[in-house]
Amino acid sequence: MPDHSRPAAAESPGIAAAGPAPLLSVVVPVRNEAPNIAPLVAEIGAALAAIPHEIIYVDDGSTDATAATLAELARRTPTLRVLGHVASCGQSAAIVTGVRAARGGWIATLDGDGQNDPADIPALWDFAQAESAAGGPPLMVAGWRVNRRDTQVKRLSSRLANRIRARLLGDATPDTGCGLKLFPRALFLSLPAFDHMHRFLPALVLRQGGRVVSRPVNHRPRMRGQSNYGTLDRLAVGVVDLFGVIWLQRRWKRPQLRP
């Protein structure tokens, strides 16, 4: 599993972080999603109006108008920060870049295609804050797309992949592929970084001693642009990475401190 956790990235001029640190950082990795950027940024802002937040877009080497669209939007959106990879390094690398740059103590991730609904974030936020206040291990809240709005082939392949993964990894998560997740920044930064790690975050969190709770979220059809992933290529890399995560699980014993 190659480590793409340190891609070359740059933050757009004139939009560096300023002011008090937000409570929540929304990290959105994108590649060639220019038509979806402005509508999604507006939705995030509306959904999180009551929560001090920042929005971090990480452009993973786009070849369309994504970079120009983000730069223009950032000039008139104070909460938006933009980072860009010189060349595409993959979705996991983009998430790692965004989380490392984030100023919030909590992170919410969203896919950049608009299929995740930002309106679900406040409910996940309230749930996470209540659970965290009660104490216990660090918590990841994973979105669960109960009603998928994808093609039948994608739904069936995802269902099969989730069953195989859950059986082999024991992560007890019905939908690890959902891009909407909420977790403490420190928890994510304690995880091993590798290509495609975003597909295995629940298993990695459990390996680290955290806990994972799945919550139903909305899922929407793609309205603009084209998917960057195919069913077969996703399946091929998923099998290889699955055995890599199994290896990680077996090669780590979590220390227990004496009272």
PDB file of all heavy atoms in Angstrom, residues 140 142 165-166 168-173 176 181 191-192 194 197-212 241-242 244-246 248-249 252 254:
ATOM      1  N   MET A 140     -16.112   8.032  16.003  1.00  0.00           N
ATOM      2  CA  MET A 140     -16.378   8.397  14.613  1.00  0.00           C
ATOM      3  C   MET A 140     -17.846   8.107  14.323  1.00  0.00           C
ATOM      4  O   MET A 140     -18.342   7.014  14.619  1.00  0.00           O
ATOM      5  CB  MET A 140     -15.503   7.608  13.641  1.00  0.00           C
ATOM      6  CG  MET A 140     -15.958   7.735  12.180  1.00  0.00           C
ATOM      7  SD  MET A 140     -14.927   6.814  11.014  1.00  0.00           S
ATOM      8  CE  MET A 140     -13.522   7.909  10.940  1.00  0.00           C
ATOM      9  N   ALA A 142     -20.342   7.564  11.330  1.00  0.00           N
ATOM     10  CA  ALA A 142     -20.298   7.247   9.903  1.00  0.00           C
ATOM     11  C   ALA A 142     -21.690   7.343   9.301  1.00  0.00           C
ATOM     12  O   ALA A 142     -22.650   6.785   9.845  1.00  0.00           O
ATOM     13  CB  ALA A 142     -19.737   5.841   9.693  1.00  0.00           C
ATOM     14  N   ARG A 165     -16.174  -7.059   3.379  1.00  0.00           N
ATOM     15  CA  ARG A 165     -15.281  -6.274   4.232  1.00  0.00           C
ATOM     16  C   ARG A 165     -15.649  -6.415   5.705  1.00  0.00           C
ATOM     17  O   ARG A 165     -14.793  -6.625   6.564  1.00  0.00           O
ATOM     18  CB  ARG A 165     -15.347  -4.799   3.819  1.00  0.00           C
ATOM     19  CG  ARG A 165     -14.362  -3.889   4.534  1.00  0.00           C
ATOM     20  CD  ARG A 165     -14.925  -2.533   4.778  1.00  0.00           C
ATOM     21  NE  ARG A 165     -16.055  -2.563   5.688  1.00  0.00           N
ATOM     22  CZ  ARG A 165     -17.329  -2.528   5.320  1.00  0.00           C
ATOM     23  NH1 ARG A 165     -17.665  -2.399   4.067  1.00  0.00           N
ATOM     24  NH2 ARG A 165     -18.303  -2.587   6.226  1.00  0.00           N
ATOM     25  N   ALA A 166     -16.940  -6.314   6.017  1.00  0.00           N
ATOM     26  CA  ALA A 166     -17.386  -6.410   7.406  1.00  0.00           C
ATOM     27  C   ALA A 166     -17.063  -7.774   7.998  1.00  0.00           C
ATOM     28  O   ALA A 166     -16.687  -7.882   9.168  1.00  0.00           O
ATOM     29  CB  ALA A 166     -18.889  -6.131   7.489  1.00  0.00           C
ATOM     30  N   LEU A 168     -14.559  -9.818   7.058  1.00  0.00           N
ATOM     31  CA  LEU A 168     -13.118 -10.020   7.200  1.00  0.00           C
ATOM     32  C   LEU A 168     -12.478  -9.069   8.203  1.00  0.00           C
ATOM     33  O   LEU A 168     -11.517  -9.427   8.881  1.00  0.00           O
ATOM     34  CB  LEU A 168     -12.441  -9.876   5.843  1.00  0.00           C
ATOM     35  CG  LEU A 168     -12.783 -10.955   4.805  1.00  0.00           C
ATOM     36  CD1 LEU A 168     -12.083 -10.670   3.484  1.00  0.00           C
ATOM     37  CD2 LEU A 168     -12.391 -12.341   5.323  1.00  0.00           C
ATOM     38  N   LEU A 169     -13.001  -7.851   8.300  1.00  0.00           N
ATOM     39  CA  LEU A 169     -12.396  -6.854   9.185  1.00  0.00           C
ATOM     40  C   LEU A 169     -13.108  -6.720  10.517  1.00  0.00           C
ATOM     41  O   LEU A 169     -12.550  -6.171  11.470  1.00  0.00           O
ATOM     42  CB  LEU A 169     -12.364  -5.482   8.495  1.00  0.00           C
ATOM     43  CG  LEU A 169     -11.527  -5.372   7.214  1.00  0.00           C
ATOM     44  CD1 LEU A 169     -11.565  -3.943   6.685  1.00  0.00           C
ATOM     45  CD2 LEU A 169     -10.087  -5.812   7.457  1.00  0.00           C
ATOM     46  N   GLY A 170     -14.363  -7.172  10.583  1.00  0.00           N
ATOM     47  CA  GLY A 170     -15.113  -7.073  11.829  1.00  0.00           C
ATOM     48  C   GLY A 170     -15.405  -5.649  12.241  1.00  0.00           C
ATOM     49  O   GLY A 170     -15.456  -5.347  13.439  1.00  0.00           O
ATOM     50  N   ASP A 171     -15.626  -4.753  11.259  1.00  0.00           N
ATOM     51  CA  ASP A 171     -15.846  -3.347  11.619  1.00  0.00           C
ATOM     52  C   ASP A 171     -17.312  -3.010  11.896  1.00  0.00           C
ATOM     53  O   ASP A 171     -17.620  -1.902  12.333  1.00  0.00           O
ATOM     54  CB  ASP A 171     -15.288  -2.408  10.551  1.00  0.00           C
ATOM     55  CG  ASP A 171     -15.930  -2.591   9.184  1.00  0.00           C
ATOM     56  OD1 ASP A 171     -16.961  -3.288   9.095  1.00  0.00           O
ATOM     57  OD2 ASP A 171     -15.400  -2.046   8.205  1.00  0.00           O
ATOM     58  N   ALA A 172     -18.214  -3.965  11.637  1.00  0.00           N
ATOM     59  CA  ALA A 172     -19.640  -3.796  11.975  1.00  0.00           C
ATOM     60  C   ALA A 172     -20.207  -2.481  11.458  1.00  0.00           C
ATOM     61  O   ALA A 172     -21.007  -1.824  12.126  1.00  0.00           O
ATOM     62  CB  ALA A 172     -19.852  -3.904  13.483  1.00  0.00           C
ATOM     63  N   THR A 173     -19.790  -2.091  10.246  1.00  0.00           N
ATOM     64  CA  THR A 173     -20.249  -0.833   9.648  1.00  0.00           C
ATOM     65  C   THR A 173     -20.950  -1.150   8.329  1.00  0.00           C
ATOM     66  O   THR A 173     -20.328  -1.711   7.421  1.00  0.00           O
ATOM     67  CB  THR A 173     -19.067   0.116   9.399  1.00  0.00           C
ATOM     68  OG1 THR A 173     -18.392   0.360  10.636  1.00  0.00           O
ATOM     69  CG2 THR A 173     -19.541   1.439   8.826  1.00  0.00           C
ATOM     70  N   THR A 176     -19.283   1.655   4.685  1.00  0.00           N
ATOM     71  CA  THR A 176     -18.030   2.389   4.849  1.00  0.00           C
ATOM     72  C   THR A 176     -17.762   3.326   3.683  1.00  0.00           C
ATOM     73  O   THR A 176     -16.945   4.232   3.793  1.00  0.00           O
ATOM     74  CB  THR A 176     -16.824   1.432   4.984  1.00  0.00           C
ATOM     75  OG1 THR A 176     -16.697   0.659   3.777  1.00  0.00           O
ATOM     76  CG2 THR A 176     -17.001   0.519   6.170  1.00  0.00           C
ATOM     77  N   LYS A 181     -18.717  11.593   6.997  1.00  0.00           N
ATOM     78  CA  LYS A 181     -18.261  11.073   8.281  1.00  0.00           C
ATOM     79  C   LYS A 181     -17.889  12.245   9.178  1.00  0.00           C
ATOM     80  O   LYS A 181     -17.518  13.319   8.691  1.00  0.00           O
ATOM     81  CB  LYS A 181     -17.065  10.138   8.116  1.00  0.00           C
ATOM     82  CG  LYS A 181     -17.368   8.839   7.373  1.00  0.00           C
ATOM     83  CD  LYS A 181     -16.142   7.960   7.274  1.00  0.00           C
ATOM     84  CE  LYS A 181     -16.476   6.609   6.666  1.00  0.00           C
ATOM     85  NZ  LYS A 181     -16.819   6.703   5.222  1.00  0.00           N
ATOM     86  N   LEU A 191      -4.196   7.792  12.843  1.00  0.00           N
ATOM     87  CA  LEU A 191      -4.359   6.604  12.004  1.00  0.00           C
ATOM     88  C   LEU A 191      -3.225   6.496  10.994  1.00  0.00           C
ATOM     89  O   LEU A 191      -2.665   7.506  10.567  1.00  0.00           O
ATOM     90  CB  LEU A 191      -5.696   6.666  11.257  1.00  0.00           C
ATOM     91  CG  LEU A 191      -6.960   6.851  12.096  1.00  0.00           C
ATOM     92  CD1 LEU A 191      -8.180   6.928  11.176  1.00  0.00           C
ATOM     93  CD2 LEU A 191      -7.116   5.738  13.111  1.00  0.00           C
ATOM     94  N   PRO A 192      -2.893   5.281  10.553  1.00  0.00           N
ATOM     95  CA  PRO A 192      -1.898   5.131   9.483  1.00  0.00           C
ATOM     96  C   PRO A 192      -2.453   5.678   8.174  1.00  0.00           C
ATOM     97  O   PRO A 192      -3.625   5.463   7.847  1.00  0.00           O
ATOM     98  CB  PRO A 192      -1.681   3.619   9.409  1.00  0.00           C
ATOM     99  CG  PRO A 192      -2.935   3.019   9.966  1.00  0.00           C
ATOM    100  CD  PRO A 192      -3.414   3.981  11.014  1.00  0.00           C
ATOM    101  N   PHE A 194      -2.442   5.842   4.088  1.00  0.00           N
ATOM    102  CA  PHE A 194      -2.045   5.123   2.880  1.00  0.00           C
ATOM    103  C   PHE A 194      -3.107   5.343   1.810  1.00  0.00           C
ATOM    104  O   PHE A 194      -4.221   5.799   2.106  1.00  0.00           O
ATOM    105  CB  PHE A 194      -1.837   3.628   3.155  1.00  0.00           C
ATOM    106  CG  PHE A 194      -3.035   2.939   3.770  1.00  0.00           C
ATOM    107  CD1 PHE A 194      -4.030   2.376   2.984  1.00  0.00           C
ATOM    108  CD2 PHE A 194      -3.159   2.847   5.158  1.00  0.00           C
ATOM    109  CE1 PHE A 194      -5.127   1.739   3.547  1.00  0.00           C
ATOM    110  CE2 PHE A 194      -4.253   2.216   5.735  1.00  0.00           C
ATOM    111  CZ  PHE A 194      -5.234   1.663   4.929  1.00  0.00           C
ATOM    112  N   MET A 197      -7.106   4.732   2.073  1.00  0.00           N
ATOM    113  CA  MET A 197      -7.444   4.522   3.488  1.00  0.00           C
ATOM    114  C   MET A 197      -8.868   4.977   3.810  1.00  0.00           C
ATOM    115  O   MET A 197      -9.483   4.480   4.763  1.00  0.00           O
ATOM    116  CB  MET A 197      -6.457   5.269   4.391  1.00  0.00           C
ATOM    117  CG  MET A 197      -6.568   6.782   4.331  1.00  0.00           C
ATOM    118  SD  MET A 197      -5.549   7.670   5.522  1.00  0.00           S
ATOM    119  CE  MET A 197      -6.401   7.344   7.069  1.00  0.00           C
ATOM    120  N   HIS A 198      -9.400   5.924   3.024  1.00  0.00           N
ATOM    121  CA  HIS A 198     -10.728   6.445   3.333  1.00  0.00           C
ATOM    122  C   HIS A 198     -11.811   5.371   3.252  1.00  0.00           C
ATOM    123  O   HIS A 198     -12.867   5.508   3.846  1.00  0.00           O
ATOM    124  CB  HIS A 198     -11.076   7.620   2.408  1.00  0.00           C
ATOM    125  CG  HIS A 198     -11.278   7.231   0.973  1.00  0.00           C
ATOM    126  ND1 HIS A 198     -10.234   7.003   0.100  1.00  0.00           N
ATOM    127  CD2 HIS A 198     -12.408   7.030   0.252  1.00  0.00           C
ATOM    128  CE1 HIS A 198     -10.707   6.684  -1.093  1.00  0.00           C
ATOM    129  NE2 HIS A 198     -12.030   6.696  -1.025  1.00  0.00           N
ATOM    130  N   ARG A 199     -11.542   4.295   2.519  1.00  0.00           N
ATOM    131  CA  ARG A 199     -12.518   3.211   2.412  1.00  0.00           C
ATOM    132  C   ARG A 199     -12.542   2.325   3.654  1.00  0.00           C
ATOM    133  O   ARG A 199     -13.450   1.497   3.808  1.00  0.00           O
ATOM    134  CB  ARG A 199     -12.203   2.341   1.185  1.00  0.00           C
ATOM    135  CG  ARG A 199     -12.158   3.088  -0.132  1.00  0.00           C
ATOM    136  CD  ARG A 199     -11.949   2.116  -1.274  1.00  0.00           C
ATOM    137  NE  ARG A 199     -11.622   2.795  -2.515  1.00  0.00           N
ATOM    138  CZ  ARG A 199     -12.493   3.405  -3.304  1.00  0.00           C
ATOM    139  NH1 ARG A 199     -13.765   3.411  -2.957  1.00  0.00           N
ATOM    140  NH2 ARG A 199     -12.101   4.002  -4.415  1.00  0.00           N
ATOM    141  N   PHE A 200     -11.550   2.466   4.514  1.00  0.00           N
ATOM    142  CA  PHE A 200     -11.415   1.569   5.660  1.00  0.00           C
ATOM    143  C   PHE A 200     -11.347   2.332   6.988  1.00  0.00           C
ATOM    144  O   PHE A 200     -10.850   1.799   7.984  1.00  0.00           O
ATOM    145  CB  PHE A 200     -10.150   0.715   5.498  1.00  0.00           C
ATOM    146  CG  PHE A 200     -10.135  -0.100   4.239  1.00  0.00           C
ATOM    147  CD1 PHE A 200      -9.474   0.351   3.114  1.00  0.00           C
ATOM    148  CD2 PHE A 200     -10.804  -1.313   4.171  1.00  0.00           C
ATOM    149  CE1 PHE A 200      -9.464  -0.389   1.939  1.00  0.00           C
ATOM    150  CE2 PHE A 200     -10.805  -2.061   3.006  1.00  0.00           C
ATOM    151  CZ  PHE A 200     -10.131  -1.606   1.885  1.00  0.00           C
ATOM    152  N   LEU A 201     -11.854   3.547   7.010  1.00  0.00           N
ATOM    153  CA  LEU A 201     -11.740   4.355   8.226  1.00  0.00           C
ATOM    154  C   LEU A 201     -12.373   3.692   9.454  1.00  0.00           C
ATOM    155  O   LEU A 201     -11.778   3.730  10.545  1.00  0.00           O
ATOM    156  CB  LEU A 201     -12.338   5.742   7.993  1.00  0.00           C
ATOM    157  CG  LEU A 201     -11.478   6.703   7.162  1.00  0.00           C
ATOM    158  CD1 LEU A 201     -12.197   8.026   6.966  1.00  0.00           C
ATOM    159  CD2 LEU A 201     -10.123   6.930   7.817  1.00  0.00           C
ATOM    160  N   PRO A 202     -13.556   3.080   9.378  1.00  0.00           N
ATOM    161  CA  PRO A 202     -14.106   2.446  10.582  1.00  0.00           C
ATOM    162  C   PRO A 202     -13.179   1.380  11.160  1.00  0.00           C
ATOM    163  O   PRO A 202     -12.962   1.336  12.379  1.00  0.00           O
ATOM    164  CB  PRO A 202     -15.430   1.850  10.091  1.00  0.00           C
ATOM    165  CG  PRO A 202     -15.839   2.749   8.972  1.00  0.00           C
ATOM    166  CD  PRO A 202     -14.551   3.085   8.273  1.00  0.00           C
ATOM    167  N   ALA A 203     -12.627   0.516  10.316  1.00  0.00           N
ATOM    168  CA  ALA A 203     -11.721  -0.525  10.796  1.00  0.00           C
ATOM    169  C   ALA A 203     -10.465   0.080  11.409  1.00  0.00           C
ATOM    170  O   ALA A 203      -9.961  -0.402  12.432  1.00  0.00           O
ATOM    171  CB  ALA A 203     -11.350  -1.476   9.659  1.00  0.00           C
ATOM    172  N   LEU A 204      -9.953   1.142  10.814  1.00  0.00           N
ATOM    173  CA  LEU A 204      -8.748   1.789  11.331  1.00  0.00           C
ATOM    174  C   LEU A 204      -9.020   2.471  12.673  1.00  0.00           C
ATOM    175  O   LEU A 204      -8.167   2.460  13.568  1.00  0.00           O
ATOM    176  CB  LEU A 204      -8.223   2.806  10.318  1.00  0.00           C
ATOM    177  CG  LEU A 204      -7.731   2.223   8.987  1.00  0.00           C
ATOM    178  CD1 LEU A 204      -7.373   3.351   8.016  1.00  0.00           C
ATOM    179  CD2 LEU A 204      -6.531   1.309   9.201  1.00  0.00           C
ATOM    180  N   VAL A 205     -10.206   3.067  12.807  1.00  0.00           N
ATOM    181  CA  VAL A 205     -10.571   3.702  14.080  1.00  0.00           C
ATOM    182  C   VAL A 205     -10.691   2.654  15.183  1.00  0.00           C
ATOM    183  O   VAL A 205     -10.198   2.849  16.303  1.00  0.00           O
ATOM    184  CB  VAL A 205     -11.890   4.494  13.924  1.00  0.00           C
ATOM    185  CG1 VAL A 205     -12.454   4.880  15.288  1.00  0.00           C
ATOM    186  CG2 VAL A 205     -11.659   5.742  13.088  1.00  0.00           C
ATOM    187  N   LEU A 206     -11.325   1.524  14.887  1.00  0.00           N
ATOM    188  CA  LEU A 206     -11.449   0.455  15.875  1.00  0.00           C
ATOM    189  C   LEU A 206     -10.075  -0.086  16.251  1.00  0.00           C
ATOM    190  O   LEU A 206      -9.808  -0.374  17.429  1.00  0.00           O
ATOM    191  CB  LEU A 206     -12.335  -0.664  15.329  1.00  0.00           C
ATOM    192  CG  LEU A 206     -13.805  -0.303  15.106  1.00  0.00           C
ATOM    193  CD1 LEU A 206     -14.539  -1.452  14.425  1.00  0.00           C
ATOM    194  CD2 LEU A 206     -14.485   0.051  16.419  1.00  0.00           C
ATOM    195  N   ARG A 207      -9.210  -0.221  15.281  1.00  0.00           N
ATOM    196  CA  ARG A 207      -7.835  -0.682  15.545  1.00  0.00           C
ATOM    197  C   ARG A 207      -7.116   0.267  16.496  1.00  0.00           C
ATOM    198  O   ARG A 207      -6.286  -0.157  17.303  1.00  0.00           O
ATOM    199  CB  ARG A 207      -7.082  -0.786  14.225  1.00  0.00           C
ATOM    200  CG  ARG A 207      -5.589  -1.097  14.331  1.00  0.00           C
ATOM    201  CD  ARG A 207      -4.964  -1.090  12.938  1.00  0.00           C
ATOM    202  NE  ARG A 207      -3.526  -1.342  12.990  1.00  0.00           N
ATOM    203  CZ  ARG A 207      -2.599  -0.400  13.119  1.00  0.00           C
ATOM    204  NH1 ARG A 207      -2.979   0.874  13.248  1.00  0.00           N
ATOM    205  NH2 ARG A 207      -1.316  -0.705  13.136  1.00  0.00           N
ATOM    206  N   GLN A 208      -7.451   1.544  16.417  1.00  0.00           N
ATOM    207  CA  GLN A 208      -6.809   2.562  17.239  1.00  0.00           C
ATOM    208  C   GLN A 208      -7.434   2.680  18.628  1.00  0.00           C
ATOM    209  O   GLN A 208      -6.980   3.475  19.453  1.00  0.00           O
ATOM    210  CB  GLN A 208      -6.872   3.914  16.514  1.00  0.00           C
ATOM    211  CG  GLN A 208      -5.911   4.973  17.015  1.00  0.00           C
ATOM    212  CD  GLN A 208      -4.457   4.590  16.792  1.00  0.00           C
ATOM    213  OE1 GLN A 208      -4.149   3.723  15.979  1.00  0.00           O
ATOM    214  NE2 GLN A 208      -3.562   5.235  17.522  1.00  0.00           N
ATOM    215  N   GLY A 209      -8.482   1.909  18.885  1.00  0.00           N
ATOM    216  CA  GLY A 209      -9.129   1.966  20.187  1.00  0.00           C
ATOM    217  C   GLY A 209     -10.336   2.865  20.240  1.00  0.00           C
ATOM    218  O   GLY A 209     -10.907   3.083  21.322  1.00  0.00           O
ATOM    219  N   GLY A 210     -10.755   3.408  19.096  1.00  0.00           N
ATOM    220  CA  GLY A 210     -11.944   4.243  19.055  1.00  0.00           C
ATOM    221  C   GLY A 210     -13.198   3.419  18.859  1.00  0.00           C
ATOM    222  O   GLY A 210     -13.174   2.188  18.866  1.00  0.00           O
ATOM    223  N   ARG A 211     -14.300   4.106  18.688  1.00  0.00           N
ATOM    224  CA  ARG A 211     -15.563   3.426  18.413  1.00  0.00           C
ATOM    225  C   ARG A 211     -16.240   4.095  17.232  1.00  0.00           C
ATOM    226  O   ARG A 211     -16.002   5.273  16.934  1.00  0.00           O
ATOM    227  CB  ARG A 211     -16.476   3.422  19.638  1.00  0.00           C
ATOM    228  CG  ARG A 211     -16.845   4.781  20.166  1.00  0.00           C
ATOM    229  CD  ARG A 211     -17.508   4.681  21.538  1.00  0.00           C
ATOM    230  NE  ARG A 211     -17.808   5.997  22.083  1.00  0.00           N
ATOM    231  CZ  ARG A 211     -19.042   6.452  22.283  1.00  0.00           C
ATOM    232  NH1 ARG A 211     -20.083   5.701  21.966  1.00  0.00           N
ATOM    233  NH2 ARG A 211     -19.230   7.656  22.796  1.00  0.00           N
ATOM    234  N   VAL A 212     -17.095   3.334  16.569  1.00  0.00           N
ATOM    235  CA  VAL A 212     -17.765   3.805  15.359  1.00  0.00           C
ATOM    236  C   VAL A 212     -19.263   3.579  15.496  1.00  0.00           C
ATOM    237  O   VAL A 212     -19.700   2.488  15.868  1.00  0.00           O
ATOM    238  CB  VAL A 212     -17.245   3.061  14.109  1.00  0.00           C
ATOM    239  CG1 VAL A 212     -17.964   3.558  12.859  1.00  0.00           C
ATOM    240  CG2 VAL A 212     -15.736   3.225  13.968  1.00  0.00           C
ATOM    241  N   ASP A 241      -6.250  -3.651  -1.033  1.00  0.00           N
ATOM    242  CA  ASP A 241      -6.185  -2.866   0.201  1.00  0.00           C
ATOM    243  C   ASP A 241      -6.829  -3.597   1.370  1.00  0.00           C
ATOM    244  O   ASP A 241      -6.410  -3.431   2.520  1.00  0.00           O
ATOM    245  CB  ASP A 241      -6.859  -1.514  -0.002  1.00  0.00           C
ATOM    246  CG  ASP A 241      -6.090  -0.630  -0.974  1.00  0.00           C
ATOM    247  OD1 ASP A 241      -4.861  -0.779  -1.050  1.00  0.00           O
ATOM    248  OD2 ASP A 241      -6.725   0.187  -1.648  1.00  0.00           O
ATOM    249  N   LEU A 242      -7.853  -4.392   1.091  1.00  0.00           N
ATOM    250  CA  LEU A 242      -8.513  -5.146   2.144  1.00  0.00           C
ATOM    251  C   LEU A 242      -7.513  -6.051   2.869  1.00  0.00           C
ATOM    252  O   LEU A 242      -7.456  -6.086   4.103  1.00  0.00           O
ATOM    253  CB  LEU A 242      -9.659  -5.970   1.566  1.00  0.00           C
ATOM    254  CG  LEU A 242     -10.400  -6.895   2.533  1.00  0.00           C
ATOM    255  CD1 LEU A 242     -11.036  -6.111   3.664  1.00  0.00           C
ATOM    256  CD2 LEU A 242     -11.461  -7.689   1.775  1.00  0.00           C
ATOM    257  N   GLY A 244      -4.342  -5.631   2.924  1.00  0.00           N
ATOM    258  CA  GLY A 244      -3.387  -4.771   3.610  1.00  0.00           C
ATOM    259  C   GLY A 244      -3.891  -4.344   4.978  1.00  0.00           C
ATOM    260  O   GLY A 244      -3.129  -4.316   5.953  1.00  0.00           O
ATOM    261  N   VAL A 245      -5.186  -4.034   5.079  1.00  0.00           N
ATOM    262  CA  VAL A 245      -5.759  -3.630   6.366  1.00  0.00           C
ATOM    263  C   VAL A 245      -5.816  -4.820   7.314  1.00  0.00           C
ATOM    264  O   VAL A 245      -5.585  -4.674   8.532  1.00  0.00           O
ATOM    265  CB  VAL A 245      -7.155  -3.013   6.164  1.00  0.00           C
ATOM    266  CG1 VAL A 245      -7.800  -2.701   7.508  1.00  0.00           C
ATOM    267  CG2 VAL A 245      -7.062  -1.732   5.334  1.00  0.00           C
ATOM    268  N   ILE A 246      -6.118  -6.005   6.787  1.00  0.00           N
ATOM    269  CA  ILE A 246      -6.080  -7.208   7.623  1.00  0.00           C
ATOM    270  C   ILE A 246      -4.677  -7.385   8.217  1.00  0.00           C
ATOM    271  O   ILE A 246      -4.512  -7.706   9.397  1.00  0.00           O
ATOM    272  CB  ILE A 246      -6.481  -8.455   6.800  1.00  0.00           C
ATOM    273  CG1 ILE A 246      -7.966  -8.369   6.418  1.00  0.00           C
ATOM    274  CG2 ILE A 246      -6.203  -9.728   7.581  1.00  0.00           C
ATOM    275  CD1 ILE A 246      -8.419  -9.463   5.475  1.00  0.00           C
ATOM    276  N   LEU A 248      -2.512  -4.982   8.807  1.00  0.00           N
ATOM    277  CA  LEU A 248      -2.340  -3.961   9.835  1.00  0.00           C
ATOM    278  C   LEU A 248      -3.004  -4.380  11.152  1.00  0.00           C
ATOM    279  O   LEU A 248      -2.457  -4.168  12.236  1.00  0.00           O
ATOM    280  CB  LEU A 248      -2.945  -2.635   9.362  1.00  0.00           C
ATOM    281  CG  LEU A 248      -2.136  -1.799   8.378  1.00  0.00           C
ATOM    282  CD1 LEU A 248      -2.965  -0.622   7.888  1.00  0.00           C
ATOM    283  CD2 LEU A 248      -0.841  -1.315   9.020  1.00  0.00           C
ATOM    284  N   GLN A 249      -4.193  -4.946  11.050  1.00  0.00           N
ATOM    285  CA  GLN A 249      -4.897  -5.365  12.261  1.00  0.00           C
ATOM    286  C   GLN A 249      -4.107  -6.431  13.022  1.00  0.00           C
ATOM    287  O   GLN A 249      -4.020  -6.404  14.245  1.00  0.00           O
ATOM    288  CB  GLN A 249      -6.284  -5.915  11.902  1.00  0.00           C
ATOM    289  CG  GLN A 249      -7.289  -4.867  11.461  1.00  0.00           C
ATOM    290  CD  GLN A 249      -8.613  -5.482  11.111  1.00  0.00           C
ATOM    291  OE1 GLN A 249      -8.673  -6.590  10.565  1.00  0.00           O
ATOM    292  NE2 GLN A 249      -9.704  -4.783  11.398  1.00  0.00           N
ATOM    293  N   TRP A 252      -0.637  -5.318  15.083  1.00  0.00           N
ATOM    294  CA  TRP A 252      -0.680  -4.268  16.106  1.00  0.00           C
ATOM    295  C   TRP A 252      -1.421  -4.767  17.328  1.00  0.00           C
ATOM    296  O   TRP A 252      -2.516  -5.307  17.234  1.00  0.00           O
ATOM    297  CB  TRP A 252      -1.377  -3.023  15.558  1.00  0.00           C
ATOM    298  CG  TRP A 252      -1.606  -1.939  16.576  1.00  0.00           C
ATOM    299  CD1 TRP A 252      -2.815  -1.519  17.085  1.00  0.00           C
ATOM    300  CD2 TRP A 252      -0.632  -1.146  17.232  1.00  0.00           C
ATOM    301  NE1 TRP A 252      -2.648  -0.514  17.986  1.00  0.00           N
ATOM    302  CE2 TRP A 252      -1.302  -0.254  18.109  1.00  0.00           C
ATOM    303  CE3 TRP A 252       0.764  -1.089  17.165  1.00  0.00           C
ATOM    304  CZ2 TRP A 252      -0.651   0.660  18.913  1.00  0.00           C
ATOM    305  CZ3 TRP A 252       1.423  -0.166  17.957  1.00  0.00           C
ATOM    306  CH2 TRP A 252       0.728   0.702  18.818  1.00  0.00           C
ATOM    307  N   ARG A 254      -2.790  -3.228  20.879  1.00  0.00           N
ATOM    308  CA  ARG A 254      -3.011  -1.954  21.541  1.00  0.00           C
ATOM    309  C   ARG A 254      -2.608  -2.065  23.010  1.00  0.00           C
ATOM    310  O   ARG A 254      -3.149  -2.897  23.747  1.00  0.00           O
ATOM    311  CB  ARG A 254      -4.483  -1.563  21.424  1.00  0.00           C
ATOM    312  CG  ARG A 254      -4.759  -0.137  21.839  1.00  0.00           C
ATOM    313  CD  ARG A 254      -6.114   0.315  21.366  1.00  0.00           C
ATOM    314  NE  ARG A 254      -7.188  -0.504  21.901  1.00  0.00           N
ATOM    315  CZ  ARG A 254      -7.893  -1.368  21.194  1.00  0.00           C
ATOM    316  NH1 ARG A 254      -7.639  -1.539  19.909  1.00  0.00           N
ATOM    317  NH2 ARG A 254      -8.849  -2.082  21.743  1.00  0.00           N
TER     318      ARG A 254
END
